[in-house]
Each structure stands twice: as structure tokens, then as C-alpha cells.
């Protein structure tokens, strides 16, 4: 609802394709301008854009199959892997993705993997849509993005981290940004016993961190299945260092080489990763648990089993299933 109904969130590029708060839209003005300039280099694109905008304005959201533009053109995105300069792409798909990366269109909704686009001006307020870039320089934009990534992960270190993918920082630049954010009071260093490298969290999270450490926060342990692309797992080496938990998303691993399953999810219980689970919704409307692998030393207590059952019931509902079967 926050994404496609309330429009509090939006699908757009950041760390690859992402979902983020719509109020961050002005910060990505350079992305949209770069995309527009790139799109102008492709023959026919200007005419195609005008045709697509006119049709969507009159008829509402479309996907590449329902936009009445035929043929193929040479095109590729300036932001991600779509299209090619050496091979023609579907003209309808190319113009929709071009207008999307320029910010003229947003993803209105999805049907499976199929994206439906609509005019951004119909769903984003004029104040946000026309706001100026808040950053005065590229370095200021990079610092803002690093701060944002630290907040997303919760705790991050000054290392060559996949959590900082796409920002384009060399080691010295990254070091300077962490020092700058610390000096400005935006982040604070956090030392973890047994690890020499300092971590950093948002200064706004300091009180919460302190209350958790002294046990004054009423936080009951809960069991959660963590999505493979959740920000918490952007830096798997960080996860190994903090939790001694080794996780690999095996969706692209050949079946005969998988250690666990096609789509296993880390299982977090309280403050510990206790294992992995593969639970797949079936065409029969049942969530099928294909595998459950506990970490060594995990005791399957009544509380743990009850928490697992509760989470599986919730996960079944989330996936549109009536119930689950082990």
C-alpha cells in the first residue's frame, strides 16, 4: 500500500533498482538529467517519447505490451542493464524505460514481473516533482548517499562494502566521507567486542542502541524470515563478522551445486541468526516448507517452535496461501 496506493514509496534506481521514500526524489535529479541526455543520443527517441506520453495521458497506465508502439530501435539505459547499443530493443519497452529513468513516468503497479507505467505528475506532488537538487556538489550527494546506506543497514564499516555499491567511491574518498559525517555529528563510531574495525551508526539511533545494550528497552524476541536482498544483507562479510553466519543466495547457483535451496531465507530469532528456511507458495494455495536448516547449537525449544509456527502462518498469508505444510 505504501508503494502503489499511498505513494509514500517509489521504485527507482539507487543501489541498483530500489524502493525508497518519495521525498528523496529531488536528490536524484542528476540521475534523471543524465538519463535524459543519454536518451537524446538515440535516433527516434524524441518522437517515441511524445507519442508514449500522449497515449498514457489519454489512456492511463500501460506496459510494453499494451503501448501501441511497434518496431525496434537501438537503445540502452544509462542507469542499468536494459537494452544494447549493438542490438535492437522493443521500441515500446525502450521508450517506457527511458521515460521512467528520466522521471517522466513512474511504475504504477506490477503484475508479476510485468511493470505498468503512468505519468509521474499524476502521483507525485508538484512540490516534490519540481524541487531543486538539495545537493550543491557531487561530493555532497555522495555523502548523503553514504549516510542513507548506513541508516538502511543499521551498522556499517569504512570498508569496500557492497552496501555502498553504485556510489563510486575510492578508498580515500570513502574515508573522507566517513570522517566528515562523524565530524558533522551525523554518525557515531561503534566498537564491537572482538572486532578491531569500528562500525558506524546514525547518531539518531544512539539512544536506541544504548537502551538495548543496558536492557531498558522492552523488546521481546521475535522470529523473522529475512529477504535475501534486505539491506541487512547487503554486506555479507559484515554479517559474518558480527554473527558468524555464512549466507549465500543460491538462486543463480546450479541445482546440483546448491548447499541448501533455490530461495532460502535467513531466519533471525531475537539477536541471533538460527538457520535458513525454504518456503515456497504452491499453485495449490499452500505454502510448502521444502527445507529448514538450523545452525549448530540451536536448541529447538517450545518458545522457538511456537515463534516459528507463528511466523510461518504469517508468511503463508503474505504469500496468498491458506496455510503451510512442512
Amino acid at each position: 500500500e505504501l508503494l502503489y496506493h499511498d505513494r509514500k514509496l517509489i521504485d527507482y534506481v539507487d543501489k541498483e533498482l530500489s524502493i525508497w521514500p518519495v521525498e528523496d526524489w529531488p536528490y536524484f535529479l542528476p540521475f534523471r538529467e543524465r538519463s535524459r541526455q543519454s536518451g537524446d543520443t538515440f535516433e527516434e527517441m524524441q518522437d517515441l517519447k511524445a507519442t508514449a506520453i500522449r497515449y498514457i495521458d489519454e489512456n492511463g497506465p500501460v506496459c510494453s505490451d499494451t503501448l501501441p508502439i511497434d518496431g525496434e530501435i537501438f537503445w540502452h539505459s544509462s542507469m542499468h542493464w536494459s537494452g544494447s547499443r549493438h542490438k535492437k530493443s522493443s521500441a515500446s519497452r525502450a521508450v517506457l524505460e527511458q521515460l521512467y529513468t528520466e522521471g517522466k513516468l513512474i511504475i504504477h503497479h506490477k503484475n508479476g514481473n510485468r511493470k505498468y507505467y503512468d505519468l509521474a505528475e499524476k502521483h507525485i506532488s508538484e512540490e516534490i516533482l519540481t524541487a531543486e537538487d538539495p545537493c550543491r556538489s557531487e561530493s555532497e550527494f555522495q555523502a548523503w548517499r553514504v549516510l542513507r546506506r548506513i541508516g538502511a543497514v543499521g551498522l556499517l564499516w569504512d570498508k569496500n562494502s557492497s552496501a555502498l555499491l553504485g556510489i563510486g567511491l575510492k578508498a580515500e574518498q570513502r574515508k573522507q566521507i566517513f570522517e566528515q559525517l562523524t565530524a558533522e555529528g551525523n554518525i557515531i563510531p561503534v566498537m564491537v567486542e572482538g572486532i578491531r574495525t569500528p562500525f558506524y551508526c546514525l547518531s539518531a539511533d544512539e539512544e536506541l542502541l544504548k537502551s538495548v545494550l543496558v536492557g531498558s528497552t522492552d523488546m521481546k524476541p521475535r522470529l523473522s524470515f529475512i529477504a535475501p536482498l534486505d539491506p541487512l544483507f547487503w554486506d555479507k562479510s559484515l554479517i559474518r563478522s558480527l554473527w558468524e553466519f555464512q549466507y549465500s543466495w543460491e538462486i543463480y547457483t546450479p541445482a546440483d551445486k546448491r548447499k541448501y535451496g533455490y530461495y532460502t531465507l535467513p531466519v533471525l530469532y531475537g539477536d541471533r541468526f538460527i538457520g535458513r528456511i525454504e518456503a515456497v507458495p504452491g499453485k495449490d494455495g499452500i505454502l510448502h516448507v521444502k527445507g529448514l536448516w538450523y545452525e549448530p547449537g540451536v536448541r529447538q525449544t517450545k518458545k522457538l517452535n511456537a515463534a516459528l509456527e507463528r511466523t510461518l502462518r504469517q508468511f503463508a498469508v503474505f504469500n496468498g496461501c491458506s496455510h503451510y505444510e512442512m
Side-chain angles (χ1 to χ4, degrees):
E1 289 191 2
L2 290 173
L3 181 59
Y4 296 134
H5 183 268
D6 298 336
R7 303 292 171 183
K8 300 293 185 183
L9 303 174
I10 191 168
D11 306 76
Y12 198 67
V13 176
D14 182 11
K15 184 184 179 291
E16 301 177 332
L17 296 180
S18 306
I19 296 173
W20 39 259
V22 71
E23 58 263 27
D24 288 349
W25 178 267
Y27 286 93
F28 290 89
L29 180 60
F31 276 37
R32 298 191 292 275
E33 179 59 23
R34 184 164 63 246
S35 176
R36 185 192 63 77
Q37 293 174 359
S38 173
D40 287 347
T41 66
F42 296 99
E43 190 177 353
E44 303 178 67
M45 183 55 75
Q46 287 298 332
D47 290 340
L48 289 174
K49 288 196 295 185
T51 299
I53 289 175
R54 184 167 55 250
Y55 183 85
I56 295 170
D57 187 36
E58 294 173 356
N59 297 277
V62 299
C63 68
S64 57
D65 285 344
T66 60
L67 180 65
I69 291 179
D70 299 322
E72 296 181 329
I73 63 169
F74 285 107
W75 171 86
H76 77 87
S77 173
S78 66
M79 290 192 186
H80 48 81
W81 52 87
S82 293
S84 170
R85 285 190 180 273
H86 309 292
K87 181 181 178 181
K88 287 189 174 183
S89 303
S90 160
S92 62
R93 176 172 173 265
V95 70
L96 288 175
E97 292 205 24
Q98 179 62 39
L99 287 168
Y100 164 67
T101 55
E102 288 184 21
K104 299 295 184 183
L105 301 181
I106 63 167
I107 296 175
H108 180 269
H109 68 280
K110 292 181 182 178
N111 185 359
N113 292 325
R114 179 72 64 183
K115 300 172 186 173
Y116 286 77
Y117 299 88
D118 200 4
L119 297 178
E121 63 190 28
K122 292 184 178 181
H123 304 281
I124 301 177
S125 71
E126 183 179 1
E127 179 183 4
I128 291 177
L129 206 59
T130 60
E132 295 183 359
D133 183 358
C135 297
R136 295 163 295 181
S137 64
E138 176 65 18
S139 60
E140 189 174 330
F141 181 44
Q142 289 176 327
W144 176 80
R145 295 181 76 190
V146 170
L147 182 65
R148 199 163 175 256
R149 301 287 178 89
I150 294 172
V153 178
L155 206 63
L156 200 57
W157 48 17
D158 176 12
K159 283 190 174 185
N160 183 18
S161 170
S162 54
L164 300 176
L165 182 69
I167 301 180
L169 297 174
K170 295 182 179 179
E172 185 58 31
Q173 290 176 300
R174 188 184 66 240
K175 179 175 180 291
Q176 290 176 358
I177 286 177
F178 271 82
E179 290 176 348
Q180 172 193 333
L181 292 173
T182 303
E184 292 172 348
N186 291 310
I187 61 175
I188 58 170
V190 177
M191 298 304 300
V192 176
E193 186 177 354
I195 301 177
R196 297 179 61 182
T197 303
F199 296 86
Y200 295 85
C201 74
L202 298 183
S203 299
D205 294 337
E206 182 177 9
E207 290 306 313
L208 175 61
L209 181 60
K210 287 180 178 179
S211 63
V212 170
L213 290 174
V214 300
S216 62
T217 300
D218 183 20
M219 297 180 67
K220 296 180 180 179
R222 69 176 185 181
L223 189 145
S224 302
F225 303 150
I226 308 299
L229 299 180
D230 188 281
L232 182 60
F233 272 82
W234 282 349
D235 189 334
K236 293 180 176 59
S237 61
L238 182 147
I239 295 295
R240 286 196 300 272
S241 295
L242 290 175
W243 280 281
E244 297 182 352
F245 182 72
Q246 179 82 31
Y247 175 74
S248 176
W249 192 29
E250 297 182 307
I251 190 170
Y252 300 116
T253 304
D256 60 339
K257 295 183 179 180
R258 290 178 194 141
K259 186 175 181 180
Y260 298 103
Y262 172 79
Y263 206 93
T264 56
L265 306 177
V267 180
L268 179 65
Y269 183 49
D271 60 0
R272 181 184 177 190
F273 285 101
I274 63 168
R276 301 158 181 77
I277 190 168
E278 184 176 28
V280 181
K283 294 182 179 180
D284 54 3
I286 299 172
L287 182 72
H288 297 275
V289 180
K290 293 189 172 184
L292 176 60
W293 301 268
Y294 286 108
E295 289 289 277
V298 173
R299 294 177 58 246
Q300 298 178 48
T301 63
K302 289 183 179 180
K303 282 188 176 181
L304 170 56
N305 290 334
L308 176 63
E309 182 179 354
R310 183 165 54 250
T311 303
L312 278 169
R313 288 200 304 267
Q314 294 170 346
F315 197 55
V317 172
F318 175 79
N319 282 281
C321 298
S322 59
H323 62 285
Y324 74 89
E325 290 184 357
M326 299 285 284

